[in-house]
Amino acid sequence: MKQTNYHLFDFMDFDPALQRDEALWKADRPSAVWMRDGDICISIPFVRQALAADMAADASEQQEEYTMVIRYYEPNILRVFIDFEHKDNLTPVEEDDMLQYAEQIQKKPLRLCHEAEPHGHYYACTEDGVKRLHIVQTSPDIDFWSDLQPAPQNTVDIRFYPDGKHEVRLASYDHFSPPRYDALPLAYCQTAGNNDRATLSFECLPDECFVGTGERFMKLDLSGQTFQLKNQDGQGVNNRRCYKNIPFYLSSRMYGTFYHTTAYSKLSLAGQSTRSIQFMSDQAQIDAFIIGGETPEEILRGYRMLTGFPQMPPLWSFGIWMSRMTYFSADEVDEICDRLRREHYPCDVIHLDTGWFRTDWLCEWKFNPERFPDPKAFIHRLKDKGFKVSLWQLPYIASGAEQIGEAKANNYISRPTKEEDSSTGGASNFSALDYAGTIDFTYPKATEWYKNSLLKPLLEMGVKCIKTDFGENIHMDHQYHGMTPERLNNIYALLYQRAAYNVTKEVTGDGIVWARSAWAGCQRYPLHWGGDSASTWDGMAGSLKGGLHFGLSGFAFWSHDVPGFHTLPNFMNGIVQDDVYVRWTQFGVFSSHMRYHGTNKREPWHYPNIAPIVKRWWKLRYRLLPYIAEQAEACTKTGYPMLRALIFHHPHDRQCWHIDDEYYFGSEFLVCPVMNSEGRRDIYLPEGLWANFFTGQRLEGGRWYYDVEVPLEEMPVFVRPGSLIKLYPDEVDSTDEMDLSKAITIEITKEYKGTEL
C-alpha cells in the first residue's frame, strides 16, 4: 500500500479507497468507575466513526460500552486490560506461554483513594497510599468565539503512575483539528461486523528516547520509527526485517511497556505522530503491562519478573565455537579439531551445520552413514579431545524426509487447508527443498515426538547442543492444533526452543540451545545469535546495534557469527578481509558467546597474515572466562544483559541514549570496537576516571576523544579505577582443563599498568 500520511490508513490499516466493510470505534469519556476484587474497572463508551479520513461521530449508531480493567502488581507494574472480543471478560490471564511470574510479582489491591465525582476526577492508590491512577472526566477549558471547526469529540483521559512517580498518559488530544487525528488513545476496529483489531496510545514528550522492541538493526534511539511486530527471516542485519520481535519498549522517561499478545502488531515510537507512542494489535484486545523503575535495569528486571529470567548456560558454552556452512564428514572435522589442538587455538565446541545428513539441507536428524560411519564413536573421540558437538536442524519436515509419513499420519506437522497446497513456508534461502509442513508444537504429542524421537537419540549419543535454526516463519496456509497460524507465527519460536531446551537439559544436564528467532519469554531458553550478517563493516555495526536492542528487550545472552555469515558481492564465494576478521574477533571476545561461522572458510590458519593476532585474542577470551561466568550468573538474577548499552549505567547521560557503537561487557568493561579499515574511531567516555585495560593509560570521562588511532592488533577497552576483574592464570586448550577456583583477581589501582594481551 502506498503511504497516505493519514493515520486511519497508514497505521490503522483501513482501505484508502474506503470500499471495505469496516468501522472505527473511538473511546468516549468514561461513564463509571468502580472497584472489583482489588482491580479498578472503568466503563468506557465507544462511538462509531463515519467511514472517512476525517473522523466524525456516526450519529446513526448507538454507543458500545466496554470495561477497562486496571490491575497493580508489586513491584511497580500496572496492567491495562480491555477485551473487545468478549465484552464480559474482565479477567486477564495470569499464566500462559509468555507469562511466568517470579515470586516477587504479587497482585496488590487498588482502591479509589479519593473520589471527587462532582469535580470529574478519580484517583486510585495502593494500600500504602501511593497514587497509581488518575482518571479525568472533566471537559477541557475553552474560550469560545468561533464555530468554524466542529467541537471535539469526548475522549478518554487516564494517567498511570506505575512507580508512583512517573506519569504515563493516554494520548488524549493528538490531532490537528477535531476531525484530523494523528493518534487515538483507545479504539477498536470492525471488519464485516467482527471486532478484529485494537489500538492504545500513550503520550510522548518531545525529547523522549526509546530502545528495545527486539533485535532491532537500527540506531539506539528508536524515536521516529514505526515497526511491524511480525517475525520473519531477517536475511541480514541491515534492514527492517526482524528475526526477533519483542513487544516491549523502554523509554528514557524511565518506564517500559510490555504488550502481552502473540498477534501481529504495529508499534510506532513517535513515528506516526511525534506526540504519541502507538500500539495496534490484529487482535481485538489490549493487554499492556506498564513497568516503572528508576533505572533501565530495574525496569528490565520487572519485565523478566513477568516473563521469566534467563537460565545459566554451561561454562563450556562461553568458550569458542568453530563452525562453517558446513563440514561434510567426520574426517574433515577430525582434521580441523586436531589442528586446533596441535597449534593451541583454545576451542570448546565444534558445530556441524547443514551437511551432516545424507543430503545437504535435508533435515532428518540422522548422520550420513557414509561420511559419518560411526557417529557415536566420532562424538566421543571429540569429547576426549575437549570438544563438544553442536548440530544444526530446523522445525520443518521436508517432503523427501524419512519422517514425512509418520509426521503426516500422526498430525505431528501442520496440515494444508487446501488439497493442492504446495507451500514451502519454512523454506531456506539456500535450498529448493519442499518443506511439507511445520512441526506443530501446539500439539503435545508432536512436541513429545520431536523431543524423544528426533532429538533425544542424538543427545544420548553425546551431542551437547541443538541449533534451533529458523522458526521465524511457519506455513501460514496450514492448520495447527492449538491456534490459528496468524496467532502462532510470533510465539512459535518460544514453543520450538522450549522443547529443544528442555530435552537437552533432561538428557545432558546442560540447559542450552543456539537459536535465531525469538518472542517474549524466549530469554528463558538461552542462547540466541544474530542471524545472517554480511562479513562487512556495516554487517558488524548492524550486528552490534541488534545486540544492544536485544539486551534491552529482556535477553541476557546473545552472540553473532564471527566474522559475519556471508560475503559480498558473492554470497557464498567471496573473501573475508583480514581486518574484518580481526576486528570481528575482538568484538566476539567481548560478547557473551563467541562462534565462528559462515558460508566459507572460518578457521584462523586460512588467514595466515593475521593468525598470530587472532590466537592472542582467543587466549584472552579464555583468560576472561572467570569474569564472564561471574557476570553471566549475575545476569540471570537481574535485569542486566551481558552485552549492554551505556544507558544501563548512565541513564541520565543524554549522550548515551544515542551511542550504539560502544557497550559495556558485564559491569566492568567499556568496549569500543573498531569497525572500519582506517583503524580509527571516536570514543566517548562517560563521566569519571577511566583506565585503558591493556595499557593502564588514564583518561578523564564526560567527553569525546576524536579520531583515535587504533592499530589492528588493539581494541580500546576501558575499566574504572577500583574495579575487580577475575582472570584465569594458565593457558588452556578448552574449559575441560579449567578449575575456576584457581582464578586470580586483579584490581584496577592507582598503580595499574595494564594487562598484557
Side-chain angles (χ1 to χ4, degrees):
M1 180 176 71
K2 293 182 179 179
Q3 184 168 298
T4 69
N5 293 327
Y6 282 86
H7 174 261
L8 188 71
F9 308 127
D10 293 350
F11 192 76
M12 299 302 295
D13 288 341
F14 273 67
D15 175 18
L18 300 174
Q19 296 300 305
R20 281 200 305 258
D21 178 10
E22 52 189 347
L24 173 69
W25 293 77
K26 176 184 170 296
D28 202 330
R29 188 175 297 152
S31 59
V33 180
W34 72 97
M35 295 181 290
R36 175 182 177 272
D37 298 331
D39 298 334
I40 298 297
C41 296
I42 308 170
S43 186
I44 302 176
F46 286 80
V47 179
R48 180 170 173 143
Q49 304 296 296
L51 190 59
D54 287 336
M55 296 181 194
D58 184 348
S60 67
E61 290 283 343
Q62 288 189 337
Q63 293 183 350
E64 292 284 342
E65 197 145 308
Y66 291 86
T67 301
M68 175 185 283
V69 178
I70 311 295
R71 182 169 292 180
Y72 177 76
Y73 302 86
E74 195 175 71
N76 298 330
I77 299 172
L78 281 171
R79 188 175 191 177
V80 182
F81 175 78
I82 185 165
D83 191 344
F84 298 109
E85 293 179 334
H86 308 94
K87 183 176 290 191
D88 297 329
N89 180 21
L90 305 185
T91 307
V93 300
E94 296 284 23
E95 182 179 354
D96 63 10
D97 293 315
M98 285 177 286
L99 296 178
Q100 189 180 90
Y101 291 170
E103 61 181 14
Q104 298 96 320
I105 295 291
Q106 299 290 326
K107 179 188 172 186
K108 296 292 183 180
L110 288 167
R111 60 184 177 85
L112 293 173
C113 56
H114 173 65
E115 185 172 347
E117 190 169 358
H119 304 292
H121 294 267
Y122 289 90
Y123 298 91
C125 304
T126 38
E127 293 172 318
D128 53 9
V130 175
K131 180 179 69 175
R132 307 287 178 174
L133 187 65
H134 178 193
I135 304 161
V136 180
Q137 286 189 292
T138 57
S139 299
D141 294 333
I142 63 170
D143 179 14
F144 181 82
W145 71 274
S146 171
D147 59 3
L148 179 65
Q149 285 286 315
Q153 297 183 58
N154 291 333
T155 188
V156 58
D157 187 348
I158 303 175
R159 294 94 182 272
F160 305 96
Y161 304 87
D163 62 353
K165 302 174 185 177
H166 299 95
E167 179 184 276
V168 182
R169 181 185 179 187
L170 288 184
S172 299
Y173 299 103
D174 191 349
H175 56 258
F176 168 64
S177 62
R180 185 64 55 83
Y181 283 85
D182 293 316
L184 296 169
L186 184 64
Y188 68 91
C189 304
Q190 287 179 337
T191 303
N194 296 313
N195 297 355
D196 61 359
R197 54 197 191 275
T199 186
L200 175 77
S201 301
F202 296 133
E203 181 182 63
C204 175
L205 298 187
D207 61 348
E208 194 167 352
C209 300
F210 304 95
V211 294
T213 78
E215 189 186 39
R216 200 65 62 189
F217 307 121
M218 293 184 176
K219 296 288 187 181
L220 190 66
D221 176 16
L222 296 174
S223 62
Q225 300 288 342
T226 299
F227 307 109
Q228 183 182 31
L229 300 179
K230 177 182 180 181
N231 280 359
Q232 61 187 127
D233 188 336
Q235 299 174 332
V237 299
N238 299 98
N239 63 75
R240 296 177 64 87
R241 294 181 294 272
C242 191
Y243 305 101
K244 308 173 185 70
N245 286 281
I246 308 299
F248 170 86
Y249 71 85
L250 191 151
S251 164
S252 59
R253 287 200 283 141
M254 289 302 109
Y255 80 93
T257 303
F258 165 49
Y259 299 99
H260 175 228
T261 184
T262 71
Y264 294 152
S265 308
K266 282 184 184 178
L267 180 61
S268 182
L269 301 172
Q272 186 72 28
S273 165
T274 60
R275 293 184 289 202
S276 295
I277 301 114
Q278 301 183 58
F279 174 78
M280 188 188 74
S281 172
D282 279 359
Q283 180 179 13
Q285 182 186 92
I286 295 293
D287 191 7
F289 292 83
I290 309 170
I291 307 166
E294 294 295 327
T295 66
E297 186 276 331
E298 187 177 338
I299 295 165
L300 263 296
R301 191 173 355 124
Y303 171 74
R304 287 180 179 174
M305 287 180 191
L306 293 171
T307 59
F309 282 82
Q311 303 301 303
M312 181 67 177
L315 176 65
W316 56 261
S317 73
F318 297 104
I320 290 171
W321 300 47
M322 179 52 63
S323 173
R324 68 166 92 150
M325 196 186 89
T326 179
Y327 301 132
F328 285 105
S329 71
D331 290 343
E332 182 183 19
V333 173
D334 281 334
E335 181 181 348
I336 289 167
C337 291
D338 287 345
R339 185 164 182 179
L340 287 166
R341 290 290 178 259
R342 186 170 63 250
E343 299 185 11
H344 297 290
Y345 285 95
C347 183
D348 265 80
V349 184
I350 194 79
H351 171 72
L352 308 186
D353 219 59
T354 63
W356 60 282
F357 314 113
R358 61 184 173 94
T359 301
D360 190 18
W361 282 94
L362 181 59
C363 179
E364 296 179 299
W365 292 272
K366 292 185 178 181
F367 282 90
N368 182 301
E370 296 178 357
R371 293 185 274 112
F372 296 90
D374 191 344
K376 185 174 182 178
F378 163 70
I379 293 168
H380 282 267
R381 187 164 66 247
L382 293 178
K383 179 183 177 182
D384 292 341
K385 299 173 184 177
F387 290 100
K388 281 72 179 174
V389 173
S390 166
L391 294 180
W392 178 92
Q393 49 87 82
L394 41 59
Y396 317 114
I397 306 293
S399 294
E402 176 184 314
Q403 297 88 355
I404 188 64
E406 179 186 11
K408 284 185 173 181
N410 294 281
N411 292 323
Y412 294 152
I413 59 175
S414 56
R415 291 152 292 159
T417 55
K418 298 178 181 178
E419 280 298 321
E420 66 271 17
D421 174 81
S422 61
S423 169
T424 55
S428 76
N429 306 314
F430 315 106
S431 168
L433 290 173
D434 176 12
Y435 291 103
T438 300
I439 298 175
D440 187 357
F441 291 108
T442 70
Y443 184 37
K445 290 183 178 180
T447 301
E448 291 306 306
W449 173 73
Y450 170 76
K451 290 164 60 177
N452 296 320
S453 295
L454 303 184
L455 298 193
K456 194 171 185 179
L458 297 167
L459 297 165
E460 289 176 336
M461 195 182 294
V463 170
K464 297 292 281 185
C465 179
I466 299 299
K467 178 178 174 180
T468 48
D469 205 356
F470 291 83
E472 305 90 353
N473 300 325
I474 63 174
H475 287 77
M476 296 303 297
D477 48 1
H478 282 205
Q479 296 178 4
Y480 298 83
H481 283 79
M483 60 182 78
T484 65
E486 290 78 14
R487 298 282 172 85
L488 175 61
N489 190 91
N490 282 332
I491 203 170
Y492 185 83
L494 188 152
L495 308 182
Y496 169 34
Q497 291 158 27
R498 180 174 63 191
Y501 180 94
N502 286 344
V503 70
T504 300
K505 190 165 188 176
E506 173 191 327
V507 175
T508 71
D510 293 332
I512 190 171
V513 292
W514 189 276
R516 192 175 74 175
S517 54
W519 188 252
C522 282
Q523 73 273 5
R524 304 194 296 259
Y525 312 111
L527 61 108
H528 295 77
W529 101 101
D532 297 340
S533 53
S535 298
T536 58
W537 299 120
D538 48 52
M540 184 176 170
S543 295
L544 177 53
K545 288 178 173 68
L548 292 176
H549 281 296
F550 199 50
L552 287 157
S553 305
F555 289 75
F557 304 107
W558 172 84
S559 187
H560 43 90
D561 288 343
V562 183
F565 176 70
H566 70 92
T567 49
L568 288 176
N570 190 309
F571 189 94
M572 300 291 295
N573 305 302
I575 298 172
V576 178
Q577 298 302 312
D578 283 358
D579 54 356
V580 172
Y581 192 104
V582 171
R583 296 301 192 190
W584 213 313
T585 290
Q586 295 165 345
F587 172 33
V589 166
F590 287 88
S591 299
S592 122
H593 288 76
M594 187 176 182
R595 183 184 76 158
Y596 285 78
H597 186 63
T599 56
N600 50 23
K601 299 172 181 176
R602 290 294 183 264
E603 299 77 27
W605 48 81
H606 295 296
Y607 306 83
N609 293 331
I610 56 164
I613 298 175
V614 171
K615 183 182 289 188
R616 288 199 297 273
W617 283 92
W618 283 28
K619 290 180 181 294
L620 173 66
R621 172 72 180 188
Y622 278 75
R623 291 172 66 197
L624 290 171
L625 285 184
Y627 170 82
I628 292 171
E630 177 187 60
Q631 294 291 315
E633 189 67 45
C635 288
T636 66
K637 300 177 176 67
T638 63
Y640 286 123
M642 284 291 290
L643 189 147
R644 60 189 74 154
L646 271 56
I647 60 172
F648 274 100
H649 298 289
H650 311 281
H652 303 298
D653 185 336
R654 293 171 67 92
Q655 299 262 15
C656 293
W657 285 89
H658 303 276
I659 295 175
D660 50 33
D661 62 352
E662 299 180 15
Y663 62 94
Y664 273 91
F665 182 53
S667 60
E668 306 300 337
F669 290 113
L670 177 61
V671 183
C672 307
V674 177
M675 295 183 282
N676 58 68
S677 292
E678 290 73 36
R680 313 185 77 89
R681 65 159 294 153
D682 298 338
I683 295 171
Y684 179 73
L685 295 179
E687 189 175 1
L689 185 64
W690 295 87
N692 186 300
F693 179 65
F694 298 112
T695 67
Q697 179 189 12
R698 283 355 185 235
L699 293 172
E700 284 291 339
R703 57 161 292 187
W704 284 93
Y705 293 84
Y706 293 105
D707 200 30
V708 177
E709 182 178 2
V710 185
L712 183 61
E713 64 274 12
E714 300 176 11
M715 180 174 68
V717 178
F718 299 93
V719 288
R720 295 276 202 185
S723 296
L724 301 175
I725 311 290
K726 284 188 176 181
L727 297 175
Y728 202 73
D730 304 324
E731 288 193 3
V732 298
D733 285 334
S734 77
T735 56
D736 284 359
E737 302 173 12
M738 299 183 80
D739 177 358
L740 292 187
S741 67
K742 294 181 179 179
I744 61 173
T745 301
I746 63 170
E747 182 177 359
I748 311 303
T749 63
K750 292 182 179 179
E751 294 75 31
Y752 178 71
K753 302 298 183 184
T755 296
E756 184 179 352
L757 179 62

